[in-house]
């Protein structure tokens, strides 16, 4: 990825997160990224394409946190809850950009909404596969509930802080593990 493209994605992702997808114009992104208008259009044919790539960029950043967990540790789901909390603290302290994309684009641009839905589905599949690999009985039900815990922690950051939301998510994950082991 070129330096300018990465710069544009970083700036666009943050602005879309902070001010909403419709609250930010291309002019603001161009100014904050300190690039020429043609540079933006050389990398992204439209604002919608920039939104799509910004969401994919956010997903890559999220997986960079989650992929640090060694799946062979004694408690990978506790470690995943901790890493999710670190992501909330470092990157996403005011809710979920993916859910916002679904909400904003479900009717007007289903392709963008689908990128966000696919992220959530991929996450659920990852948890199911991990649960099965470590012998969690009823791993599909467990994984669904674990994802709900993480989604709840994400939502709670808008009411409390990420540290408190993460602490509760870890406690709930421990109880969930006790139920399914």
């Amino acid at each position: 990825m070129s330096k300018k493209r990465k710069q544009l994605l970083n700036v666009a992702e943050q602005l879309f997160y902070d001010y909403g997808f419709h609250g930010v114009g291309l002019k603001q992104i161009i100014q904050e990224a300190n690039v020429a208008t043609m540079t933006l259009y050389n990398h992204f044919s439209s604002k919608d394409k920039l939104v799509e790539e910004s969401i994919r960029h956010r997903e890559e950043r999220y997986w960079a946190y989650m992929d640090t967990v060694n799946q062979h540790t004694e408690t990978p789901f506790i470690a995943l809850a901790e890493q999710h909390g670190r992501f909330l603290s470092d990157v996403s302290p005011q809710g979920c950009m993916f859910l916002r994309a679904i909400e904003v684009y479900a009717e007007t641009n289903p392709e963008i909404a689908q990128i966000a839905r696919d992220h959530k589905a991929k996450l659920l599949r990852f948890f199911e596969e991990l649960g099965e690999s470590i012998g969690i009985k009823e791993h599909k039900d467990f994984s669904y509930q674990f994802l709900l815990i993480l989604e709840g922690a994400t939502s709670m950051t808008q009411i409390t802080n990420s540290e408190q939301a993460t602490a509760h998510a870890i406690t709930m994950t421990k109880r969930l593990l006790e139920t399914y082991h």
Side-chain angles (χ1 to χ4, degrees), residues 93-124:
Q94 295 299 316
C96 181
M97 186 173 181
F98 303 103
L99 293 178
R100 290 178 190 170
I102 293 168
E103 179 183 340
V104 169
Y105 289 105
E107 300 296 321
T108 60
N109 191 324
E111 294 84 14
I112 291 174
Q114 192 60 49
I115 293 167
R117 283 189 188 98
D118 289 346
H119 165 70
K120 297 297 184 179
K122 180 181 176 183
L123 197 54
L124 182 59

Side-chain angles (χ1 to χ4, degrees), residues 33 60-61 85 92 105 108 112 121 133 136 140 158 160 169 171 179:
E60 287 174 17
R61 292 176 65 199
S92 195
Y105 289 105
T108 60
I112 291 174
S133 75
I136 292 179
K140 289 188 181 228
Q158 295 181 49
T160 181
T171 299
T179 302

